[in-house]
Amino acid sequence: MQDKNCLPGSLAKFSLAQGLKRNCGDSQQLARCATLRFVHLAVDIRAACEPQRTGKGQWTLSFCKELLVREHRVTLLAQDGAPIPSELSGAAVRMLPGGVRWHGAARKVVRELRPDVALFPTSFIVSAFSSPHDRTAILVHDMVAFSRGSHDRRAQWIERLTLPRALRQATLRFALSEATREELLKRFPQAGNVPVLGAGPQWGSPPQRVQFPVGICCVGTLCERKNQARLLKAFTLLPPALQEHHPLVIAGGEGWGVSGLPQKIEHTPHARYAGYVNAEEYRKLLQSAAVIVVPSLQEGMGLAMLDALSCGIPLVLSDIPIFREVAGNAAEYCDPRDTASIAAAVQRALQPERAQRLSTLAKERSSLWSWKTVVDRFLNACRALPPR
């Protein structure tokens, strides 16, 4: 299927020219905009099609939503049988065989289509086994696979084996954040130029909070590095009256290294495990949240944090570089390995005057993060490449 995002070459160039006239205004601006080049892009969207979308899947979906409103030809690469998100309906999609055959099929399609750039935002495999002439791009979300701790072992070893080769073979290499970029270059200094793409809140218009929000909320896949077990213990350190008035809600699908944690949450007074929440349930959770807590030991970005900033929800964050990079002074920080520190930060964030101040700072900070900026950065890197 074709629409404005996957137009034939001549028609697409005509649409781009019309868009430049609309968006650039006077002749000087138009002259500057004339340096922009129409590009053909391919994007792996498998993670966006998963029924229980994780942060990487949400990043891919939000990125593609913004990309598809631009005047470029875009081909999405998905897996046979996967439901395409409604937000991406109307785009050109190539359905490829599932399982390990997907990667070989994707490489074949990239060579057939010859896009200016083929982005693989959640996997390094295709880039690792492609030629530099295939013009692939990768996005490094985090360096968790190279750290100690409880992880998905299969995914961990695949990343460890394929990332070094993908860094050599890919035409473009991006990092999700400056913190990830620094960690990547520390381990792989030969990676060279690695621009930061960033992320943004998933809503153009954030949901309105209820008049008297009460919940202490944490959203993310249950796993050791996201540290929900310590958050649960920290919650029990709060004064009983505070626990009763501000119940804890932990939401997210079950990951690894947290055996029995859902049951522990359910057996803790005034705490509730919500499981995986869909988009509407997530929206309602944020609307009723007095505080969002992100106590991760490691993180690539923390999309729930960006959503909270856009809604003006007070944040309690681990004192790690990526969170300082994103939230600045719009949060209370804690030592994620110290339950007393987490509890103290939650108490500070719940104090009325401090909560109001954090809400104001969060909305101001949110203006620094947008999907428009992310896609602009990506397209600028693509346009800097020689034409096909």
Side-chain angles (χ1 to χ4, degrees):
M1 182 179 295
Q2 289 186 334
D3 68 352
K4 66 177 182 180
N5 306 301
C6 35
L7 295 166
S10 60
L11 182 56
K13 290 173 184 175
F14 173 78
S15 294
L16 176 60
Q18 296 297 341
L20 291 175
K21 290 178 182 178
R22 287 194 305 270
N23 297 325
C24 296
D26 63 41
S27 58
Q28 285 188 329
Q29 287 178 305
L30 183 57
R32 288 193 294 270
C33 288
T35 61
L36 303 183
R37 178 166 59 84
F38 173 78
V39 293
H40 175 200
L41 304 166
V43 184
D44 168 14
I45 63 165
R46 288 173 299 156
C49 300
E50 294 174 355
Q52 292 194 6
R53 200 177 295 132
T54 63
K56 290 182 179 181
Q58 187 58 49
W59 189 96
T60 303
L61 177 62
S62 297
F63 174 84
C64 287
K65 283 169 59 180
E66 175 63 28
L67 182 63
L68 289 170
V69 303
R70 308 300 181 93
E71 300 283 353
H72 297 287
R73 180 184 172 194
V74 180
T75 303
L76 305 179
L77 308 179
Q79 182 171 299
D80 281 340
I84 305 302
S86 60
E87 296 94 330
L88 306 182
S89 61
V93 182
R94 295 288 291 266
M95 306 298 289
L96 306 178
V100 295
R101 293 190 300 159
W102 191 92
H103 308 284
R107 185 174 62 172
K108 183 177 179 181
V109 167
V110 168
R111 289 178 175 174
E112 169 199 326
L113 294 176
R114 288 179 54 80
D116 290 282
V117 174
L119 174 64
F120 294 88
T122 57
S123 172
F124 308 132
I125 296 174
V126 175
S127 289
F129 295 99
S130 293
S131 160
H133 299 293
D134 295 326
R135 303 275 284 255
T136 64
I138 59 171
L139 172 62
V140 182
H141 285 258
D142 54 54
M143 296 294 287
V144 170
F146 295 86
S147 65
R148 296 180 179 180
S150 179
H151 307 295
D152 179 334
R153 293 298 180 189
R154 180 175 177 272
Q156 181 181 27
W157 281 107
I158 288 173
E159 287 200 18
R160 285 187 176 187
L161 292 170
T162 57
L163 177 57
R165 182 177 173 87
L167 290 170
R168 295 194 302 271
Q169 300 298 99
T171 300
L172 294 173
R173 300 157 294 277
F174 298 100
L176 185 61
S177 65
E178 183 60 36
T180 295
R181 178 182 177 276
E182 289 179 3
E183 195 173 349
L184 173 69
L185 292 178
K186 184 177 180 180
R187 183 173 287 272
F188 300 106
Q190 69 277 16
N193 183 34
V194 183
V196 172
L197 285 185
Q202 64 175 284
W203 299 289
S205 299
Q208 290 294 318
R209 300 171 69 197
V210 299
Q211 187 174 3
F212 299 107
V214 295
I216 299 171
C217 299
C218 176
V219 182
T221 302
L222 298 192
C223 61
E224 185 178 285
R225 74 176 176 89
K226 290 191 181 286
N227 206 28
Q228 293 98 336
R230 284 194 180 92
L231 171 59
L232 181 64
K233 187 173 181 180
F235 178 72
T236 66
L237 301 179
L238 296 176
L242 201 63
Q243 294 180 40
E244 185 175 359
H245 187 63
H246 296 286
L248 174 65
V249 180
I250 296 178
E254 291 189 49
W256 44 93
V258 289
S259 177
L261 181 57
Q263 292 74 27
K264 290 179 183 177
I265 298 170
E266 288 295 333
H267 288 122
T268 300
H270 309 298
R272 177 171 70 90
Y273 175 55
Y276 177 83
V277 291
N278 62 31
E280 184 57 31
E281 292 167 335
Y282 177 53
R283 176 185 287 266
K284 290 179 179 178
L285 198 63
L286 291 189
Q287 287 177 313
S288 63
V291 173
I292 293 289
V293 186
V294 191
S296 304
L297 302 175
Q298 292 177 287
E299 198 63 74
M301 176 65 77
L303 297 187
M305 171 178 55
L306 290 171
D307 292 336
L309 287 173
S310 72
C311 295
I313 304 172
L315 281 165
V316 171
L317 305 175
S318 301
D319 196 355
I320 56 178
I322 177 56
F323 290 167
R324 291 280 183 177
E325 176 185 339
V326 174
N329 65 346
E332 288 289 347
Y333 290 93
C334 63
D335 178 351
R337 299 183 183 278
D338 183 345
T339 54
S341 176
I342 299 171
V346 170
Q347 283 190 272
R348 292 195 302 271
L350 287 172
Q351 293 172 359
E353 288 187 7
R354 182 57 176 159
Q356 183 58 48
R357 178 61 177 157
L358 287 174
S359 179
T360 300
L361 291 171
K363 291 178 181 178
E364 292 173 357
R365 190 74 181 183
S366 177
S367 65
L368 301 178
W369 304 94
S370 74
W371 289 105
K372 180 183 182 302
T373 300
V374 173
V375 172
D376 284 346
R377 289 171 177 168
F378 175 74
L379 291 176
N380 286 340
C382 294
R383 292 184 185 113
L385 298 174
R388 279 286 202 181

